[in-house]
Amino acid sequence: MVSGGARARSGPAYDPNSARSDRLGRSSGGAFALDANGYRYRPPRFPLGTYLLEDDAATERWHERELEVWKGLWRLPQAIAWHDPCYAYLQGTVALYARQYVICESSSSTASDRATLARYADTIGLTPQGLKLNGWRIVPHEVKTRKKTRPARNVIAFPSARERYEEMG
């Protein structure tokens, strides 16, 4: 067993059904629910400056790829939380993740680049561990069903095809 102080993953995993988890706000009902359909609005402006490379054309391609990754990240369910004011501080980390993602796509990336990408992914909630550490959960999109309304008084009610079929049988 590893010894040491309080760290993000130190100690036994918490039990979401315990009274202590309820008191600390860690119960499954206290998690920040993220719609599985994702964020549906325009992403914010990319906050980082241009990453300079050896020539202008390469710099432009790099920046376009960063913007593409940035926009893709803002379609995820986690973007709902990043947009929320209490998690807005993560937007800079999301931008750093987008840049690091592009760095890891290059042939010159190193193992430390990939390790940094994994740490960013945990921090911004892109992994199951990151979702758990942030107290988020992705929930299925609930389609609102229409309530059955009574027909208006001046409309003649005809039996449906199903009702007519059942009467025959």
Side-chain angles (χ1 to χ4, degrees):
M1 170 95 22
V2 178
S3 64
R7 293 182 179 83
R9 295 186 183 121
S10 67
Y14 65 86
D15 178 12
N17 300 320
S18 71
R20 184 167 193 254
S21 292
D22 283 341
R23 191 173 62 248
L24 295 173
R26 293 180 176 164
S27 64
S28 58
F32 192 89
L34 307 173
D35 185 359
N37 284 351
Y39 186 71
R40 295 187 191 102
Y41 304 100
R42 183 185 309 177
R45 193 176 62 80
F46 189 68
L48 302 180
T50 305
Y51 191 78
L52 299 175
L53 296 170
E54 59 275 353
D55 62 16
D56 291 341
T59 299
E60 184 62 30
R61 284 192 310 272
W62 187 278
H63 187 64
E64 286 174 8
R65 179 64 183 141
E66 280 181 339
L67 292 177
E68 187 180 318
V69 171
W70 171 256
K71 289 175 183 174
L73 289 169
W74 279 92
R75 286 191 290 268
L76 298 174
Q78 289 85 338
I80 296 167
W82 305 330
H83 178 76
D84 192 84
C86 66
Y87 293 108
Y89 68 92
L90 287 174
Q91 290 183 12
T93 311
V94 174
L96 289 171
Y97 176 85
R99 176 159 290 167
Q100 195 68 32
Y101 189 90
V102 176
I103 289 170
C104 288
E105 288 179 334
S106 71
S107 60
S108 61
S109 68
T110 63
S112 65
D113 291 330
R114 290 182 187 91
T116 302
L117 184 70
R119 285 195 300 276
Y120 283 148
D122 277 348
T123 303
I124 62 176
L126 293 181
T127 63
Q129 297 85 4
L131 287 169
K132 189 174 181 182
L133 286 171
N134 286 317
W136 302 341
R137 62 186 167 89
I138 298 175
V139 297
H141 179 69
E142 295 180 13
V143 178
K144 294 179 181 175
T145 58
R146 293 180 66 186
K147 292 182 181 178
K148 211 172 195 180
T149 58
R150 291 185 299 167
R153 291 183 182 178
N154 59 353
V155 176
I156 299 171
F158 288 99
S160 69
R162 177 180 297 261
E163 292 169 342
R164 290 192 312 260
Y165 177 78
E166 289 172 353
E167 288 176 1
M168 292 170 41

